[in-house]
Amino acid sequence: MAVTIERIRHWRAHDTFFRALNPGPWIFIAALALLTLAATARAAGLHDQFDPARDAAADVAQAVATASAEGKRVIVDVGGEWCSWCHILDRLIAGNADVNALVARNYVWVKVNFSKENRNEALLSRWPKIKGYPHLFVLDGNGELLHSQDTSVLEAGRGYDRARVVDFLNRWAPRRTASRV
């Protein structure tokens, strides 16, 4: 029996296998949503690594300039690729669209490496001593320190408490007036 174009069309019309290969427009919408979430996370700096080779002072200065121009605050996320809790925090933010949007709307997120390769002591000496990692510093659009956050108080079990993280982000978000909304 020869396979003809008509037979293939008949199989495609009646075979669930071929229908599964054509999932319809919803797959396009889901892919677009994932790409948007990934772009938002990247814009917020959440997928950047803690890179010992980066110039942390220049990164913070750039983040402050961006925050000032956009009416946002800066979160300086101090940690390292060695830090499991740093990755847990990243996953919490990236994995919750509303938390990710809260960060993107209000903050410029910059990662500052702390490791044996580069302790970034000159930059970190500007702020209070860090007791554990990750540690978050909140800066205003002028680079002034507003808050030093020990992230252990945001933990719950083997992860971070979503409500505590959201409360922290809301508490330190810039206050928007009607003219700035």
Side-chain angles (χ1 to χ4, degrees):
M1 171 186 248
V3 176
T4 63
I5 291 178
E6 290 80 23
R7 186 166 300 280
I8 292 171
R9 285 186 183 139
H10 174 77
W11 287 339
R12 286 191 71 189
H14 300 290
D15 191 340
T16 57
F17 172 75
F18 285 107
R19 275 188 255 143
L21 292 178
N22 186 12
W26 68 268
I27 193 74
F28 174 75
I29 293 167
L32 184 61
L34 285 173
L35 288 173
T36 301
L37 182 62
T40 302
R42 176 148 314 276
L46 294 175
H47 293 301
D48 294 341
Q49 292 185 336
F50 293 98
D51 184 352
R54 293 194 60 83
D55 181 344
D59 289 348
V60 170
Q62 179 60 50
V64 168
T66 301
S68 179
E70 297 178 3
K72 296 180 178 182
R73 296 222 165 127
V74 175
I75 291 185
V76 178
D77 180 1
V78 183
E81 288 305 302
W82 52 266
C83 170
S84 61
W85 282 97
C86 298
H87 298 294
I88 292 169
L89 181 60
D90 285 349
R91 284 193 300 271
L92 173 94
I93 295 169
N96 290 276
D98 58 332
V99 179
N100 195 322
L102 178 63
V103 169
R105 185 172 52 251
N106 295 297
Y107 298 99
V108 177
W109 197 285
V110 60
K111 292 190 177 202
V112 170
N113 182 75
F114 182 87
S115 67
K116 63 183 177 183
E117 294 86 14
N118 186 350
R119 295 180 180 270
N120 282 301
E121 292 170 319
L123 174 69
L124 297 176
S125 68
R126 299 179 190 172
W127 302 313
K129 186 167 174 51
I130 296 172
K131 296 178 183 171
Y133 298 92
H135 191 91
L136 305 177
F137 292 108
V138 181
L139 311 179
D140 67 12
N142 297 317
E144 297 297 319
L145 178 66
L146 299 175
H147 183 66
S148 176
Q149 181 64 52
D150 172 7
T151 58
S152 68
V153 300
L154 305 176
E155 295 174 11
R158 295 183 180 197
Y160 285 98
D161 183 282
R162 184 185 171 287
R164 290 180 197 159
V165 172
V166 167
D167 181 56
F168 159 75
L169 293 170
N170 281 324
R171 183 178 315 126
W172 293 102
R175 301 293 172 237
R176 307 221 184 255
T177 62
S179 62
R180 292 179 65 192
V181 174

